[in-house]
Amino acid sequence: MPAIPEGVRGAIVTGWGTALGDKVAARGVMHGAGIPITPGAMAALTGLDEARALADGLGYPVMLKTLRGGGGRGLRRCDDAVQLARAWETLPEESG
């Protein structure tokens, strides 16, 4: 099993997420199977405050991804709390 690259702090895996239709469920399946996953949310985030708390705990940069939208849609790199807030506001428009 390949190691998670050094310097990657948080992300949601999209390949398995697309295959299973739900990125959060895919993370749970992979984690339960012992497949290494990058640190990140294990449940859908319900609000910006929750996203900020998680990002503060992980450390920036983080990737923010909608539950819907494939091919990179709704995927945003956030280098700080200001970018996270901006990205959070645009997610509904990008989720398709």
Side-chain angles (χ1 to χ4, degrees):
M1 200 59 55
I4 297 170
E6 189 172 326
V8 173
R9 296 181 188 252
I12 295 178
V13 176
T14 60
W16 277 82
T18 301
L20 295 175
D22 181 332
K23 281 112 181 128
V24 173
R27 285 179 58 80
V29 168
M30 291 186 296
H31 180 72
I35 298 170
I37 59 174
T38 55
M42 293 303 291
L45 301 175
T46 59
L48 180 55
D49 289 341
E50 187 179 4
R52 279 188 187 131
L54 180 61
D56 288 345
L58 291 170
Y60 290 93
V62 296
M63 299 299 289
L64 186 63
K65 175 77 174 99
T66 61
L67 289 176
R68 295 187 222 158
R73 285 182 63 181
L75 179 63
R76 293 287 174 258
R77 176 185 166 127
C78 305
D79 292 316
D80 55 40
V82 172
Q83 288 182 355
L84 180 68
R86 286 183 192 146
W88 185 267
E89 295 303 318
T90 65
L91 290 179
E93 299 165 10
E94 297 181 21
S95 64

